[in-house]
Amino acid sequence: MLEDSLDILNGCSKVRTGIQNEAALLALMEKTGYSMVQENGQRKFGGPPPDWEGPPPPRGCEVFVGKIPRDMYEDELVPVFERAGKIYEFRLMMEFSGENRGYAFVMYTTKEAAQLAIRILNNFEIRPGKFIGVCVSLDNCRLFIGAIPKEKKKEEILDEMKNVTEGVVDVIVYPSATDKSKNRGFAFVEYESHRAAAMARRKLIPGTFQLWGHTIQVDWADPEKEVDEETMQRVKVLYVRNLMISTTEETIKAEFNKFKPGAVERVKKLRDYAFVHFFNRDDAMTAMSVMNGKYIDGAGIEVTLAKPVNKENTWRQHLNGHISPNSENLLLFPNKEEGHLKILGKPTFLPPRLNGQQSPKQIPEIERYTYPYFPGTKLTPISMYSLKWNQFNSAVMHLDYYCNKNNWAPPEYYLYSTTSQDGKILLVYKVVIPALSNGAQSYFMPDKLCTTLEDAKEMAAQFTLLHLVSLANCSHVGQRPCVSNQASFFRRKCKNQYEN
């Protein structure tokens, strides 16, 4: 095995010094018994480990590692990550030159080990002044399919997707809020693996693929957040889906109180779904069992436990209901047309460069309250730029604030439009950053079109912020400021939204 690994390690000695050399990696393999294979721009250590029996670990056992020094390799990294538990597989992304690409994926044998790695190794000082980032790795197996005829049933959609793609496990179809006999014009298709989903997306993505005579829309569905079992054991809130628009909170509360009067604390309804809060978890679990599949105002409802939202929510683009709204910390903005819902989570925003300060490790949740204004209250004129970055709640304002704090001219927005196949006016903004006019990229334009002006501008600002910090982290061009700490933090948060 060691002889076969010599070819794998060729090139590493060109960029490694001291103990970071070919012999160190060979010694690591000899000590642990793990094999090492390099393929497709990545080097796999393990997968499976020696004497492993049975299938690979389940979802939730893998973490993503970012900000790895480019001249650091498995002989240094593996011992660090073994502190959290037994490693099933360590995948280090590699450059052709022999350097690593700055990130890796570590799969543990248990979910508990992966969660411990995030707790003890995120922001860990891997070398003096070098801090790595560790977060959960989401292996997305779900595609969003839009522009589906609304009269199609789940069984028809499932059969059709199985005919045109491989590895289909299930489809998730939401009934229309106003007509339960129809779907909302989109579906989520679940595949047996990320690879199967990626192959299906590659086949369907060109825009010329048609189902039932309609050109469909295809994109990655935002993966559902994994919530640890310990947290879910404390949940006392139920998520109720497929309600009638006309159903009131009072009706829902009365229905869920029937099995035990006074068990429900409060109800929060948004469009055709609601969150039912209970005083006691046991009552919530009983109500879920009793009420799931029951009818309220003629609509068959689905009842599950609501998933808590982490306060460090990621940036998201939500087009046509890409996210299943199973968390109460979501705001819903329905457009006039059925099936076009904009769901926005409480966003975590990018901190600008402020006198070289690093971004905080914990991002405070934005507080949004109103207070009475009393006559005679003294008001002081201030500039928006004197506020803190976490006092803004839109990407447009953050981009303006970001440019100002870096002594750049304000961003310039240029609006473009086109017409969809069904006659809708679709909008997109091009954002120009004058300070980068001499650089490799001076303007940014998202790859998605919106039906409203506000959404188009917000999406363009989000897209620009993400790419600005990526550029800043990759190189220092001219007098471009260094925001590598913020860039790494922001890119980690946005990784799953914009990848692929």
Side-chain angles (χ1 to χ4, degrees):
M1 180 188 69
L2 297 182
E3 290 77 7
D4 294 339
S5 299
L6 288 174
D7 291 337
I8 297 171
L9 304 176
N10 283 341
C12 291
S13 56
K14 298 178 184 179
V15 295
R16 293 162 64 97
T17 60
I19 62 170
Q20 295 175 321
N21 53 31
E22 181 179 297
L25 294 180
L26 292 173
L28 175 67
M29 289 187 287
E30 186 172 17
K31 176 183 176 182
T32 61
Y34 281 65
S35 62
M36 189 178 289
V37 178
Q38 183 161 328
E39 59 183 12
N40 300 326
Q42 64 180 354
R43 194 159 61 201
K44 295 182 179 180
F45 174 81
D51 304 322
W52 177 268
E53 295 182 0
R59 293 184 68 182
C61 293
E62 188 174 73
V63 299
F64 170 79
V65 186
K67 297 189 288 185
I68 299 173
R70 296 300 183 96
D71 59 347
M72 180 173 279
Y73 301 94
E74 291 88 347
D75 57 294
E76 288 186 85
L77 293 167
V78 167
V80 171
F81 284 89
E82 282 181 332
R83 299 178 188 181
K86 184 177 178 63
I87 294 174
Y88 176 86
E89 180 181 78
F90 189 104
R91 293 187 291 127
L92 184 63
M93 304 300 113
M94 301 297 296
E95 298 281 11
F96 181 77
S97 65
E99 288 186 325
N100 76 64
R101 297 170 63 186
Y103 66 98
F105 296 88
V106 186
M107 181 181 290
Y108 288 92
T109 56
T110 65
K111 292 182 179 181
E112 292 75 18
Q115 292 163 7
L116 179 60
I118 295 171
R119 288 200 300 270
I120 67 175
L121 296 177
N122 188 34
N123 293 317
F124 177 77
E125 190 172 14
I126 196 81
R127 282 184 181 170
K130 302 291 184 180
F131 297 85
I132 58 173
V134 182
C135 62
V136 66
S137 172
L138 297 175
D139 190 14
N140 201 350
C141 301
R142 183 176 295 182
L143 294 182
F144 165 83
I145 309 295
I148 291 177
K150 294 183 179 181
E151 68 275 5
K152 296 297 178 182
K153 306 297 183 184
K154 174 178 177 175
E155 293 73 19
E156 296 177 89
I157 300 171
L158 178 61
D159 290 342
E160 188 69 13
M161 295 308 301
K162 284 183 175 180
N163 287 335
V164 298
T165 60
E166 297 182 359
V168 176
V169 175
D170 192 17
V171 296
I172 301 169
V173 182
Y174 295 125
S176 167
T178 54
D179 185 350
K180 299 302 181 184
S181 66
K182 296 182 179 180
N183 69 66
R184 297 191 182 185
F186 63 87
F188 298 99
V189 184
E190 188 80 22
Y191 288 85
E192 62 186 11
S193 66
H194 176 74
R195 175 176 174 79
M199 295 299 291
R201 179 176 179 268
R202 183 179 300 178
K203 180 179 180 179
L204 302 175
I205 199 64
T208 58
F209 200 92
Q210 292 190 342
L211 293 178
W212 304 288
H214 292 71
T215 300
I216 60 172
Q217 303 167 3
V218 182
D219 203 349
W220 287 107
D222 203 30
E224 291 190 46
K225 299 299 180 184
E226 294 287 340
V227 181
D228 63 271
E229 191 172 339
E230 182 181 350
T231 300
M232 291 303 295
Q233 290 293 331
R234 300 193 297 268
V235 173
K236 300 185 292 183
V237 183
L238 298 182
Y239 169 60
V240 184
R241 189 169 71 83
N242 199 32
L243 292 162
M244 298 295 291
I245 292 291
S246 57
T247 300
T248 64
E249 292 180 350
E250 291 73 20
T251 298
I252 298 169
K253 186 173 184 178
E255 290 292 331
F256 277 82
N257 265 331
K258 280 184 177 179
F259 78 98
K260 184 179 179 180
V264 177
E265 178 185 4
R266 60 188 173 92
V267 175
K268 181 178 179 182
K269 182 173 183 284
L270 300 96
R271 197 167 170 83
D272 63 340
Y273 64 94
F275 297 91
V276 183
H277 294 246
F278 286 80
F279 290 103
N280 183 278
R281 175 178 166 81
D282 290 340
D283 292 340
M285 298 301 292
T286 303
M288 180 172 67
S289 176
V290 171
M291 294 299 295
N292 187 37
K294 296 292 185 180
Y295 283 79
I296 297 180
D297 291 343
I301 62 173
E302 296 180 16
V303 185
T304 60
L305 281 175
K307 290 186 177 181
V309 170
N310 191 307
K311 291 183 180 180
E312 294 186 0
N313 264 344
T314 59
W315 281 77
R316 296 172 177 175
Q317 293 179 20
H318 299 272
L319 186 61
N320 297 334
H322 277 41
I323 307 301
S324 172
N326 64 340
S327 167
E328 187 174 11
N329 287 356
L330 297 175
L331 301 176
L332 181 66
F333 299 91
N335 289 338
K336 290 183 179 179
E337 294 177 285
E338 176 62 35
H340 290 265
L341 306 180
K342 177 106 174 152
I343 306 170
L344 297 175
K346 296 179 181 177
T348 298
F349 290 111
L350 169 72
R353 178 176 179 261
L354 297 175
N355 300 323
Q357 297 177 2
Q358 294 184 5
S359 59
K361 294 181 180 179
Q362 297 296 327
I363 302 301
E365 188 175 351
I366 297 172
E367 295 183 352
R368 303 178 69 180
Y369 302 113
T370 59
Y371 294 85
Y373 172 70
F374 299 105
T377 301
K378 183 180 179 180
L379 298 176
T380 304
I382 64 170
S383 167
M384 62 170 277
Y385 302 116
S386 66
L387 301 175
K388 295 181 179 180
W389 62 267
N390 61 354
Q391 290 177 286
F392 297 98
N393 198 36
S394 85
V396 173
M397 297 301 295
H398 266 269
L399 180 58
D400 188 80
Y401 183 74
Y402 179 88
C403 291
N404 179 268
K405 289 300 179 182
N406 284 303
N407 297 315
W408 293 352
E412 299 172 359
Y413 293 85
Y414 297 89
L415 183 63
Y416 297 87
S417 71
T418 187
T419 304
S420 68
Q421 292 184 341
D422 53 1
K424 295 187 180 69
I425 301 298
L426 304 178
L427 306 171
V428 66
Y429 271 101
K430 178 173 76 173
V431 182
V432 174
I433 306 297
L436 303 181
S437 58
N438 295 325
Q441 183 170 4
S442 60
Y443 73 89
F444 305 88
M445 183 181 290
D447 59 356
K448 296 191 188 303
L449 301 162
C450 298
T451 56
T452 69
L453 196 65
E454 295 84 355
D455 288 350
K457 195 167 187 178
E458 185 74 4
M459 182 175 292
Q462 289 185 9
F463 183 85
T464 303
L465 278 168
L466 176 71
H467 285 268
L468 277 178
V469 295
S470 296
L471 286 172
N473 196 41
C474 291
S475 61
H476 304 285
V477 180
Q479 299 301 313
R480 184 178 297 161
C482 176
V483 288
S484 59
N485 290 313
Q486 292 90 332
S488 299
F489 176 86
F490 184 74
R491 189 169 63 251
R492 186 171 72 247
K493 291 295 182 185
C494 299
K495 177 177 176 292
N496 290 296
Q497 176 182 338
Y498 287 101
E499 249 188 10
N500 298 319

